[in-house]
Amino acid sequence: REGESPILRDDPIMSDYEREVFGLLVRRGDVEGIQFRVAHCVGLALNAIGGVDTVLGRELHRLAADFSAANSIEQLHAPLIALQDYLKDIQ
């Protein structure tokens, strides 16, 4: 519901410090570090929507798995956009 989403808003998880760390990971091309940070956020989202046993949770889990399978920064782009769009749609 509007105003209740713990993600994609001005959340403490994405404080200025976290944004800087994430930016550093991107500049370094640290795919594993980026995937780790995104997995943490996806975990919060999964909790918010009732876990992987819900319809929304299964789709989120599938999209996150596609993102986690990427091996390079270039391969992260398409799955990240799909994940971002899905999270925006369900918030």
Side-chain angles (χ1 to χ4, degrees), residues 28-71:
R28 288 185 176 173
D30 185 348
V31 174
E32 290 179 7
I34 294 167
Q35 289 169 326
F36 177 79
R37 299 274 178 179
V38 170
H40 178 73
C41 293
V42 168
L44 293 173
L46 279 171
N47 280 339
I49 61 175
V52 295
D53 294 328
T54 64
V55 174
L56 294 175
R58 282 190 294 275
E59 181 63 9
L60 179 57
H61 181 63
R62 184 190 68 75
L63 292 169
D66 291 346
F67 180 78
S68 295
N71 295 314

